PDB file of all heavy atoms in Angstrom:
ATOM      1  N   GLU A  88      10.138  -4.451  39.108  1.00 81.00           N
ATOM      2  CA  GLU A  88      10.446  -4.353  40.531  1.00 81.00           C
ATOM      3  C   GLU A  88      11.908  -4.819  40.803  1.00 81.00           C
ATOM      4  O   GLU A  88      12.470  -4.400  41.739  1.00 81.00           O
ATOM      5  CB  GLU A  88       9.502  -5.227  41.396  1.00 81.00           C
ATOM      6  CG  GLU A  88       8.100  -4.705  41.493  1.00 81.00           C
ATOM      7  CD  GLU A  88       8.052  -3.302  42.068  1.00 81.00           C
ATOM      8  OE1 GLU A  88       8.821  -3.122  43.112  1.00 81.00           O
ATOM      9  OE2 GLU A  88       7.375  -2.397  41.559  1.00 81.00           O
ATOM     10  N   ARG A  89      12.438  -5.646  39.932  1.00 77.00           N
ATOM     11  CA  ARG A  89      13.741  -6.266  40.270  1.00 77.00           C
ATOM     12  C   ARG A  89      14.791  -5.170  40.215  1.00 77.00           C
ATOM     13  O   ARG A  89      15.906  -5.415  40.723  1.00 77.00           O
ATOM     14  CB  ARG A  89      14.058  -7.370  39.294  1.00 77.00           C
ATOM     15  CG  ARG A  89      14.372  -6.817  37.944  1.00 77.00           C
ATOM     16  CD  ARG A  89      14.540  -7.955  36.872  1.00 77.00           C
ATOM     17  NE  ARG A  89      14.432  -7.432  35.533  1.00 77.00           N
ATOM     18  CZ  ARG A  89      14.847  -7.913  34.527  1.00 77.00           C
ATOM     19  NH1 ARG A  89      15.527  -9.090  34.561  1.00 77.00           N
ATOM     20  NH2 ARG A  89      14.656  -7.427  33.272  1.00 77.00           N
ATOM     21  N   THR A  90      14.561  -4.036  39.673  1.00 74.00           N
ATOM     22  CA  THR A  90      15.603  -3.043  39.625  1.00 74.00           C
ATOM     23  C   THR A  90      15.066  -1.719  40.293  1.00 74.00           C
ATOM     24  O   THR A  90      14.004  -1.217  39.858  1.00 74.00           O
ATOM     25  CB  THR A  90      15.942  -2.697  38.168  1.00 74.00           C
ATOM     26  OG1 THR A  90      16.185  -3.847  37.454  1.00 74.00           O
ATOM     27  CG2 THR A  90      17.200  -1.795  38.105  1.00 74.00           C
ATOM     28  N   ASP A  91      15.709  -1.288  41.363  1.00 76.00           N
ATOM     29  CA  ASP A  91      15.217  -0.076  41.984  1.00 76.00           C
ATOM     30  C   ASP A  91      15.630   1.139  41.175  1.00 76.00           C
ATOM     31  O   ASP A  91      16.430   1.087  40.237  1.00 76.00           O
ATOM     32  CB  ASP A  91      15.695   0.025  43.485  1.00 76.00           C
ATOM     33  CG  ASP A  91      17.112   0.240  43.630  1.00 76.00           C
ATOM     34  OD1 ASP A  91      17.719   0.815  42.773  1.00 76.00           O
ATOM     35  OD2 ASP A  91      17.649  -0.203  44.722  1.00 76.00           O
ATOM     36  N   ASP A  92      14.950   2.304  41.543  1.00 78.00           N
ATOM     37  CA  ASP A  92      15.082   3.459  40.698  1.00 78.00           C
ATOM     38  C   ASP A  92      16.600   4.015  40.563  1.00 78.00           C
ATOM     39  O   ASP A  92      17.039   4.435  39.550  1.00 78.00           O
ATOM     40  CB  ASP A  92      14.238   4.662  41.191  1.00 78.00           C
ATOM     41  CG  ASP A  92      12.752   4.320  40.812  1.00 78.00           C
ATOM     42  OD1 ASP A  92      12.499   3.480  40.039  1.00 78.00           O
ATOM     43  OD2 ASP A  92      11.929   5.112  41.365  1.00 78.00           O
ATOM     44  N   CYS A  93      17.281   3.873  41.771  1.00 76.00           N
ATOM     45  CA  CYS A  93      18.622   4.262  41.768  1.00 76.00           C
ATOM     46  C   CYS A  93      19.498   3.407  40.837  1.00 76.00           C
ATOM     47  O   CYS A  93      20.322   3.854  40.053  1.00 76.00           O
ATOM     48  CB  CYS A  93      19.162   4.135  43.227  1.00 76.00           C
ATOM     49  SG  CYS A  93      20.888   4.322  43.354  1.00 76.00           S
ATOM     50  N   GLN A  94      19.225   2.101  40.795  1.00 72.00           N
ATOM     51  CA  GLN A  94      19.916   1.192  39.936  1.00 72.00           C
ATOM     52  C   GLN A  94      19.572   1.486  38.520  1.00 72.00           C
ATOM     53  O   GLN A  94      20.424   1.429  37.668  1.00 72.00           O
ATOM     54  CB  GLN A  94      19.499  -0.276  40.284  1.00 72.00           C
ATOM     55  CG  GLN A  94      20.324  -1.301  39.572  1.00 72.00           C
ATOM     56  CD  GLN A  94      21.901  -1.225  39.859  1.00 72.00           C
ATOM     57  OE1 GLN A  94      22.208  -1.069  41.045  1.00 72.00           O
ATOM     58  NE2 GLN A  94      22.673  -1.265  38.869  1.00 72.00           N
ATOM     59  N   MET A  95      18.302   1.848  38.305  1.00 74.00           N
ATOM     60  CA  MET A  95      17.900   2.127  36.904  1.00 74.00           C
ATOM     61  C   MET A  95      18.654   3.329  36.376  1.00 74.00           C
ATOM     62  O   MET A  95      19.022   3.352  35.207  1.00 74.00           O
ATOM     63  CB  MET A  95      16.371   2.460  36.900  1.00 74.00           C
ATOM     64  CG  MET A  95      15.669   1.615  35.768  1.00 74.00           C
ATOM     65  SD  MET A  95      13.887   1.851  35.802  1.00 74.00           S
ATOM     66  CE  MET A  95      13.296   0.526  36.888  1.00 74.00           C
ATOM     67  N   GLU A  96      18.897   4.301  37.187  1.00 74.00           N
ATOM     68  CA  GLU A  96      19.653   5.494  36.783  1.00 74.00           C
ATOM     69  C   GLU A  96      21.057   5.090  36.483  1.00 74.00           C
ATOM     70  O   GLU A  96      21.637   5.514  35.451  1.00 74.00           O
ATOM     71  CB  GLU A  96      19.610   6.544  37.955  1.00 74.00           C
ATOM     72  CG  GLU A  96      20.303   7.794  37.536  1.00 74.00           C
ATOM     73  CD  GLU A  96      19.955   8.954  38.479  1.00 74.00           C
ATOM     74  OE1 GLU A  96      19.037   8.840  39.324  1.00 74.00           O
ATOM     75  OE2 GLU A  96      20.718   9.964  38.350  1.00 74.00           O
ATOM     76  N   LYS A  97      21.667   4.261  37.297  1.00 72.00           N
ATOM     77  CA  LYS A  97      22.988   3.708  37.011  1.00 72.00           C
ATOM     78  C   LYS A  97      23.015   2.918  35.711  1.00 72.00           C
ATOM     79  O   LYS A  97      23.921   3.021  34.874  1.00 72.00           O
ATOM     80  CB  LYS A  97      23.543   2.934  38.149  1.00 72.00           C
ATOM     81  CG  LYS A  97      23.831   3.679  39.405  1.00 72.00           C
ATOM     82  CD  LYS A  97      24.403   2.714  40.423  1.00 72.00           C
ATOM     83  CE  LYS A  97      24.877   3.526  41.724  1.00 72.00           C
ATOM     84  NZ  LYS A  97      25.401   2.499  42.706  1.00 72.00           N
ATOM     85  N   ASP A  98      22.031   2.118  35.490  1.00 69.00           N
ATOM     86  CA  ASP A  98      21.926   1.334  34.318  1.00 69.00           C
ATOM     87  C   ASP A  98      21.884   2.197  33.000  1.00 69.00           C
ATOM     88  O   ASP A  98      22.519   1.840  32.025  1.00 69.00           O
ATOM     89  CB  ASP A  98      20.669   0.365  34.258  1.00 69.00           C
ATOM     90  CG  ASP A  98      20.957  -0.800  35.244  1.00 69.00           C
ATOM     91  OD1 ASP A  98      22.042  -0.946  35.794  1.00 69.00           O
ATOM     92  OD2 ASP A  98      19.922  -1.594  35.404  1.00 69.00           O
ATOM     93  N   SER A  99      21.079   3.321  33.190  1.00 69.00           N
ATOM     94  CA  SER A  99      20.942   4.183  32.037  1.00 69.00           C
ATOM     95  C   SER A  99      22.286   4.869  31.728  1.00 69.00           C
ATOM     96  O   SER A  99      22.648   4.944  30.521  1.00 69.00           O
ATOM     97  CB  SER A  99      19.963   5.316  32.404  1.00 69.00           C
ATOM     98  OG  SER A  99      18.645   4.913  32.244  1.00 69.00           O
ATOM     99  N   ALA A 100      23.051   5.207  32.746  1.00 68.00           N
ATOM    100  CA  ALA A 100      24.356   5.782  32.446  1.00 68.00           C
ATOM    101  C   ALA A 100      25.251   4.756  31.739  1.00 68.00           C
ATOM    102  O   ALA A 100      25.986   5.145  30.853  1.00 68.00           O
ATOM    103  CB  ALA A 100      25.002   6.190  33.752  1.00 68.00           C
ATOM    104  N   LEU A 101      25.160   3.545  32.127  1.00 70.00           N
ATOM    105  CA  LEU A 101      25.912   2.503  31.469  1.00 70.00           C
ATOM    106  C   LEU A 101      25.482   2.354  30.044  1.00 70.00           C
ATOM    107  O   LEU A 101      26.376   2.242  29.156  1.00 70.00           O
ATOM    108  CB  LEU A 101      25.783   1.118  32.249  1.00 70.00           C
ATOM    109  CG  LEU A 101      26.451   0.884  33.446  1.00 70.00           C
ATOM    110  CD1 LEU A 101      26.191  -0.518  33.973  1.00 70.00           C
ATOM    111  CD2 LEU A 101      27.989   1.094  33.171  1.00 70.00           C
ATOM    112  N   MET A 102      24.200   2.196  29.797  1.00 69.00           N
ATOM    113  CA  MET A 102      23.727   2.039  28.475  1.00 69.00           C
ATOM    114  C   MET A 102      24.234   3.102  27.535  1.00 69.00           C
ATOM    115  O   MET A 102      24.645   2.881  26.419  1.00 69.00           O
ATOM    116  CB  MET A 102      22.150   1.945  28.449  1.00 69.00           C
ATOM    117  CG  MET A 102      21.612   0.733  29.080  1.00 69.00           C
ATOM    118  SD  MET A 102      22.355  -0.838  28.546  1.00 69.00           S
ATOM    119  CE  MET A 102      21.637  -1.041  26.884  1.00 69.00           C
TER     120      MET A 102
END
Side-chain angles (χ1 to χ4, degrees):
Chain A
E88 289 299 316
R89 69 185 161 159
T90 310
D91 68 28
D92 287 348
C93 171
Q94 186 61 45
M95 230 178 268
E96 184 165 348
K97 288 184 177 178
D98 286 355
S99 280
L101 281 183
M102 290 309 286

